[in-house]
């Protein structure tokens, strides 16, 4: 009897601890398209759903998904409220160590290039979110690719 009770409690615990992932794809797409229209951006959409704007392509090396890069950036939500910003000299990291939207998006620029990444939640922090970033959030980044190592 106590093993049955233990098994039931264990099953209840496991089923309660697994939160269902919410699909924000349609909501994010609508939000991004509205933001692009409102701000009159010349954005391109990749097959993954990432939108990007190239203000300056740059003239140096072009990174790939395995590159280490230095990027200056400002991150904010579609309502304009910021959630993160680097120092002007940027921050260095491997493109395999960041959200999928950055791994893909930074590779559209060459050294010296700049633009905007509009990242749906499935390429960002998903439905769970992260400290200061609610689940399902569209993330916008003004980026400047300083260097590729």
């Amino acid at each position: 009897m106590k093993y049955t009770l233990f098994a039931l409690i264990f099953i209840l615990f496991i089923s309660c601890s697994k939160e269902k992932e919410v699909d924000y794809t349609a909501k994010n797409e609508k939000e991004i398209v509205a933001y692009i229209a409102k701000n009159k951006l010349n954005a391109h959409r990749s097959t993954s759903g990432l939108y990007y704007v190239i203000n300056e392509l740059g003239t140096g090396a072009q990174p790939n998904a395995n590159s280490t890069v230095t990027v200056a950036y400002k991150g904010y939500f579609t309502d304009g409220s910021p959630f993160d910003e680097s120092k002007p000299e940027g921050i260095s990291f491997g493109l395999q160590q960041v959200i999928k939207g950055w791994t893909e998006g930074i590779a559209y620029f060459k050294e010296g290039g700049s633009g905007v990444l509009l990242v749906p939640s499935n390429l960002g922090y998903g439905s769970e979110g992260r400290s200061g970033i609610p689940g399902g959030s569209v993330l916008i980044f003004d980026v400047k690719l300083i260097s590729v190592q």
Side-chain angles (χ1 to χ4, degrees):
M1 178 68 178
K2 74 176 172 179
Y3 292 114
T4 304
L5 182 58
F6 176 75
L8 287 173
I9 291 172
F10 181 74
I11 290 170
L12 180 62
F13 176 75
I14 294 295
S15 64
C16 290
S17 67
K18 290 184 180 177
E19 294 182 29
K20 292 183 179 178
E21 180 118 351
V22 178
D23 186 359
Y24 289 95
T25 304
K27 178 184 178 295
N28 287 174
E29 180 75 13
K30 185 176 178 182
E31 188 176 341
I32 291 170
V33 169
Y35 182 87
I36 289 168
K38 179 182 175 185
N39 292 282
K40 298 178 175 74
L41 299 175
N42 181 21
H44 306 278
R45 185 184 190 279
S46 75
T47 56
S48 70
L50 175 73
Y51 283 84
Y52 60 97
V53 176
I54 297 176
N55 295 330
E56 260 185 80
L57 180 58
T59 57
Q62 189 160 12
N64 62 47
N66 296 311
S67 296
T68 296
V69 296
T70 301
V71 177
Y73 70 92
K74 178 180 180 185
Y76 50 97
F77 300 109
T78 55
D79 68 1
S81 57
F83 59 83
D84 195 13
E85 186 170 5
S86 72
K87 293 181 178 176
E89 61 271 16
I91 184 170
S92 296
F93 51 82
L95 285 177
Q96 289 297 322
Q97 301 170 320
V98 292
I99 60 174
K100 292 176 186 176
W102 272 56
T103 303
E104 177 185 347
I106 296 298
Y108 290 117
F109 302 94
K110 294 180 180 181
E111 274 183 340
S114 65
V116 181
L117 300 178
L118 300 105
V119 182
S121 61
N122 67 311
L123 300 175
Y125 296 107
S127 62
E128 293 180 22
R130 180 177 170 225
S131 178
I133 300 174
S137 294
V138 169
L139 307 176
I140 301 173
F141 295 95
D142 292 333
V143 297
K144 178 168 181 62
L145 179 55
I146 297 169
S147 68
V148 178
Q149 293 87 39

